[in-house]
Amino acid sequence: MCSPWKNNREFFETVDSLPHGPSWQRIPVTKKGDLVANGDPQIEEMELWMRDPLECIKDLIGNPLFKKVMKYKPERHWRRGKRVYSEMWTGDWWWKMQVGIHVCA
Amino acid sequence: MKFTFIKKHLKKGATIAPLIIASDKTQLSTFGGDKSAWPVYLTIGNIAKSIRRQPSKHATVLIGYIPVSKLEIFTDETQQRNEGWQLFHDCMEKITASLVKAGKEGVLMTCADSQLRRVHPILASYVADFPEQSLVSCTQQSRCPICKVSFHDRGHLNSDTIDTLRDMGETLEGVNVTISGHYSAIADEQGLRPTKPFWEQLPYANIHQCFAPDLLHQVHKGIFKDHLVKWCQTLIGADELNARFRAMSHHHGVRDFHKGISHISQWTGREIKELEKVFIPAIAGSMPADAVKAACALLDFIYLAHYPIMDNSILLRLEAALQKFHDHKQVFIDTGVCKAFHTIPKLHMLQHFTFNIRNLGTPDGYSTESPERLHIDFAKLGYRASNRNDATQQMAIWLQRQEAMKCHEAYLLWRSTQNQGLEVETIASNLFDNEPPDSDANKDEDDSLSFDKIQELADGVETVSVDATSNSAILSAHPVPSVHLAKKPRYRNCTGTIISTHHLAPDFTHEVNRYLTTTFPNRRFTVTDYDTFNVWTRFHLDHPQTAVSADPCRELIRCTPTTRNSNARRGRNAEYDNVLVLTDHSADGLKSESLMIFSACKLAYIT
């Protein structure tokens, strides 16, 4: 069987043209030190690789595979008259946050 | 906790996406080469924890690699350290920059159920080990990232109140004064680092309450392995403790530490959990009573902290267990195995567990085990695929390609099911259902658990209470396992004599006859020593659910005789497990308080 690509570069080009998650950004970060070389303070250049968390959240919250296991609002659970905590949406933080949001509306 | 400031911005109908951010520095190169990566992961609390925990579900995404540098451009070591902290916060600020506006105003997003919601991403939890918690919260490592306790009081048990918990406003004030070069009494009192924090601009986030309990680092590796095991080992003596582990009988599901524990140099989380199972029996009776009590209390705490669902009574038991440990801990100081408790930050963190669980849910959703596992997928495999030069860029591209391939795979799978006619309906409706979320909310409720009452905040202001329909599914402790036996026997046609000698069941034929007499009173034959039997040496008990977990579990019961290899040397030791057999089925078993009629028997044969 012969491959539809001539070489691996062509193959990667095809892969890169496929839809993928949020793209990566390279952000240069520099730090100016106090060590002096040739009269100038030394500078260290670094790279921060990141992608937009907002896009990632969109991907996660909109993923149809998670439909059955997603909650969008807080809940309070009781078992035999006792408050029960388990998932994040059963905790107080989310509830208070949401109540805070609604009180202000 | 101050929630008044929310009121200014958020409008009715807002949906919260609680962000769980995790970061953990990790080594990339295995031998020398000092290469490390600092990945930052993100997931949202809207997704159930059982899914978040599974790396294969891709519910956690990588949002960045923070640069790792020793900053040797600074001469002073203190400055190197301070600048390193600041570098982390600067990078995190860049990563989270888009969340500031989104958190305040909300962003319209299409959710998994095809509904459009205005989502406010708000930082709810930060999962990290203790040094990184201190780094994130701008507190010194001699203090606590959650409360204001002083270094020397860290060893005592204090109760959480609003006065003792750190206030974000105060932290910011202290930090800002210190950065501007002035002396800040707050920073001095509360042990703050001179770092401008990344979470300053993040709306509604209270970083000091974000640190959810961490079972792996704080409990298993921290308190249990690094401290309790060491103390007990010193108290008992390593040789004696090893001997005790060697003397333990084997059982299915319990690891046999046949070489003892003192030689194990690299502990994995799994090994620690196995050790926890057998630790109390190994130390009981060989230490001062108080030390055993304290160890018992800590192990109670560890096991209680693992419950996937906790009600208030469990939280109280959790507090009581910790209290009991603190009541008895003095013995470790008196015997000299532990110098001081306030030098152990993890011990102090245990007292914030109940507060955090009430706030953010049970700890099993936040363990650092999951980021440690993600390192393999997101950092280590990517690094190995690179040529080790400027690895980060190649890792990012590698990850993007991997994602594209997974996306494409899912798409192809979906397409292939589309062409198969009838299945289209079911799968398509699973994936892209247009039903509003509330109509199937009741259906989705966990089948294994029944709640008397569930109250949810609807999208509007009013609160709705739902009465769960069935109470019949209350977890029972009554064991009703199904028995599984292999199709073919291990030994065929064994005579009664062989069974009584080789399988150590001396009265075998006699017992079989007795059984036959009670079951078939009219039988015409008697079993003799020369009749042959098929012998099985093991069977499984499948429990659909147990008292502690709703998941099915399987137990193995063995009755293997000693085997000899070709040189007539002993091949494998005999293994006979003990079982409890319920002989009177009218008794209500473990559930009721009536007299339980069990008869213990040593299982010597299964025919």
Side-chain angles (χ1 to χ4, degrees), chain B residues 397-559:
Chain B
I397 294 171
W398 183 84
L399 268 175
Q400 193 166 309
R401 284 177 180 154
Q402 291 281 323
E403 261 180 23
M405 292 303 283
K406 263 170 215 142
C407 245
H408 199 64
E409 199 183 317
Y411 170 73
L412 287 178
L413 190 75
W414 178 72
R415 276 302 294 266
S416 67
T417 49
Q418 278 241 312
N419 295 334
Q420 286 167 10
L422 211 133
E423 274 188 45
V424 183
E425 283 297 302
T426 51
I427 289 178
S429 65
N430 273 343
L431 288 174
F432 308 106
D433 206 334
N434 280 328
E435 266 182 274
D438 295 320
S439 64
D440 60 352
N442 290 343
K443 207 166 46 189
D444 281 352
E445 265 154 35
D446 215 340
D447 305 325
S448 55
L449 306 157
S450 88
F451 296 109
D452 296 348
K453 200 174 148 206
I454 297 174
Q455 192 184 19
E456 11 179 314
L457 264 187
D459 282 351
V461 184
E462 74 274 22
T463 51
V464 186
S465 34
V466 186
D467 282 322
T469 42
S470 74
N471 274 328
S472 55
I474 292 171
L475 288 175
S476 87
H478 192 107
V480 274
S482 54
V483 179
H484 285 261
L485 206 58
K487 274 184 193 156
K488 291 180 182 168
R490 176 74 179 81
Y491 302 105
R492 279 181 191 278
N493 302 333
C494 292
T495 60
T497 328
I498 291 180
I499 291 177
S500 44
T501 51
H502 189 56
H503 292 271
L504 307 178
D507 298 329
F508 178 70
T509 40
H510 175 70
E511 290 293 329
V512 171
N513 279 324
R514 203 167 60 94
Y515 173 77
L516 290 172
T517 315
T518 48
T519 346
F520 310 104
N522 305 326
R523 75 194 164 97
R524 301 239 183 93
F525 60 93
T526 321
V527 176
T528 63
D529 274 351
Y530 304 102
D531 289 317
T532 56
F533 298 86
N534 289 340
V535 178
W536 279 262
T537 55
R538 51 171 59 196
F539 66 94
H540 289 287
L541 293 177
D542 278 338
H543 297 270
Q545 60 182 30
T546 52
V548 283
S549 93
D551 299 329
C553 87
R554 168 171 268 205
E555 276 183 303
L556 172 69
I557 315 289
R558 299 164 300 186
C559 53

Side-chain angles (χ1 to χ4, degrees), chain B residues 100-115:
Chain B
V100 178
K101 192 165 166 247
K104 273 185 200 146
E105 293 168 9
V107 179
L108 284 177
M109 288 185 191
T110 316
C111 298
D113 54 359
S114 311
Q115 303 277 306

Side-chain angles (χ1 to χ4, degrees), chain A residues 11-13 15-16 18-24 26-36 42-44 46-54 56-105, chain B residues 1 6-7 10-16 18-19 45-49 51 57 59 61-65 67 69 71-75 79 83 87 94-95 98 102 109-113 117 121-122 124 204 308-312 315 358-362 366 392-393 396 400-401 403-404 408 431-433 438 449-457 459-460 474:
Chain A
F11 167 68
F12 281 133
E13 270 169 20
V15 173
D16 288 339
L18 287 173
H20 51 76
S23 19
W24 285 87
R26 174 188 164 274
I27 295 176
V29 185
T30 49
K31 274 265 168 201
K32 206 184 206 180
D34 58 356
L35 262 183
V36 181
Q42 276 193 358
I43 289 175
E44 186 166 345
M46 287 161 282
E47 283 174 355
L48 166 67
W49 282 88
M50 59 162 280
R51 40 189 191 176
D52 189 3
L54 210 53
C56 295
I57 296 166
K58 268 187 196 163
D59 264 15
L60 285 176
I61 213 166
N63 191 339
L65 291 176
F66 299 144
K67 194 197 151 199
K68 292 259 151 105
V69 291
M70 281 270 228
K71 295 272 174 171
Y72 304 99
K73 47 195 171 187
E75 293 174 358
R76 283 176 175 176
H77 292 196
W78 280 271
R79 195 158 64 188
R80 282 169 231 142
K82 282 182 195 133
R83 177 79 189 272
V84 177
Y85 301 89
S86 56
E87 297 278 0
M88 197 161 189
W89 53 78
T90 63
D92 289 336
W93 178 88
W94 199 334
W95 186 272
K96 280 177 188 156
M97 210 38 110
Q98 196 90 42
V99 170
I101 288 171
H102 287 303
V103 166
C104 62
Chain B
M1 284 161 281
I6 302 171
K7 293 176 186 174
L10 294 183
K11 289 180 212 127
K12 194 173 166 180
T15 302
I16 292 175
L19 304 184
N46 305 73
I47 304 171
K49 58 187 177 188
I51 302 295
K57 300 277 186 208
V61 289
L62 179 72
I63 53 167
Y65 286 113
S69 166
L71 291 175
E72 279 158 351
I73 46 171
F74 292 99
T75 38
Q79 205 180 357
E83 291 291 335
L87 179 69
K94 286 196 176 98
I95 292 175
S98 65
M109 288 185 191
T110 316
C111 298
D113 54 359
R117 289 189 174 83
I122 294 173
Y204 322 126
I309 297 166
M310 298 194 195
D311 63 13
N312 254 330
L315 292 176
R358 288 200 170 94
N359 247 341
L360 297 170
T362 44
Y366 303 96
T392 323
Q393 180 176 10
Q400 193 166 309
R401 284 177 180 154
E403 261 180 23
H408 199 64
L431 288 174
F432 308 106
D433 206 334
D438 295 320
L449 306 157
S450 88
F451 296 109
D452 296 348
K453 200 174 148 206
I454 297 174
Q455 192 184 19
E456 11 179 314
L457 264 187
D459 282 351
I474 292 171

Side-chain angles (χ1 to χ4, degrees), chain B residues 8-188:
Chain B
K8 289 171 204 157
H9 306 287
L10 294 183
K11 289 180 212 127
K12 194 173 166 180
T15 302
I16 292 175
L19 304 184
I20 303 168
I21 294 184
S23 69
D24 186 14
K25 207 191 258 186
T26 180
Q27 285 287 326
L28 287 177
S29 42
T30 27
F31 301 104
D34 202 22
K35 284 260 164 58
S36 40
W38 203 341
V40 183
Y41 304 104
L42 173 91
T43 182
I44 49 175
N46 305 73
I47 304 171
K49 58 187 177 188
S50 56
I51 302 295
R52 282 201 320 254
R53 269 201 305 252
Q54 298 174 31
S56 59
K57 300 277 186 208
H58 303 287
T60 307
V61 289
L62 179 72
I63 53 167
Y65 286 113
I66 291 174
V68 184
S69 166
K70 293 219 170 83
L71 291 175
E72 279 158 351
I73 46 171
F74 292 99
T75 38
D76 185 24
E77 222 167 78
T78 324
Q79 205 180 357
Q80 261 180 21
R81 211 182 51 197
N82 287 356
E83 291 291 335
W85 296 336
Q86 192 59 58
L87 179 69
F88 169 80
H89 279 274
D90 289 346
C91 291
M92 283 301 286
E93 198 179 339
K94 286 196 176 98
I95 292 175
T96 55
S98 65
L99 297 174
V100 178
K101 192 165 166 247
K104 273 185 200 146
E105 293 168 9
V107 179
L108 284 177
M109 288 185 191
T110 316
C111 298
D113 54 359
S114 311
Q115 303 277 306
L116 200 63
R117 289 189 174 83
R118 195 154 44 75
V119 177
H120 295 253
I122 294 173
L123 177 64
S125 177
Y126 199 105
V127 178
D129 54 10
F130 182 74
E132 277 188 45
Q133 283 182 352
S134 304
L135 170 64
V136 169
S137 63
C138 300
T139 49
Q140 282 163 11
Q141 283 199 31
S142 56
R143 309 298 279 267
C144 166
I146 297 171
C147 73
K148 298 178 193 167
V149 71
S150 70
F151 178 57
H152 289 284
D153 286 340
R154 258 196 336 194
H156 308 307
L157 186 63
N158 315 301
S159 56
D160 287 336
T161 58
I162 291 180
D163 290 336
T164 56
L165 291 171
R166 282 181 192 274
D167 181 81
M168 224 177 71
E170 277 182 11
T171 310
L172 280 175
E173 195 188 322
V175 164
N176 284 334
V177 172
T178 324
I179 292 173
S180 61
H182 300 286
Y183 169 77
S184 160
I186 297 178
D188 199 34

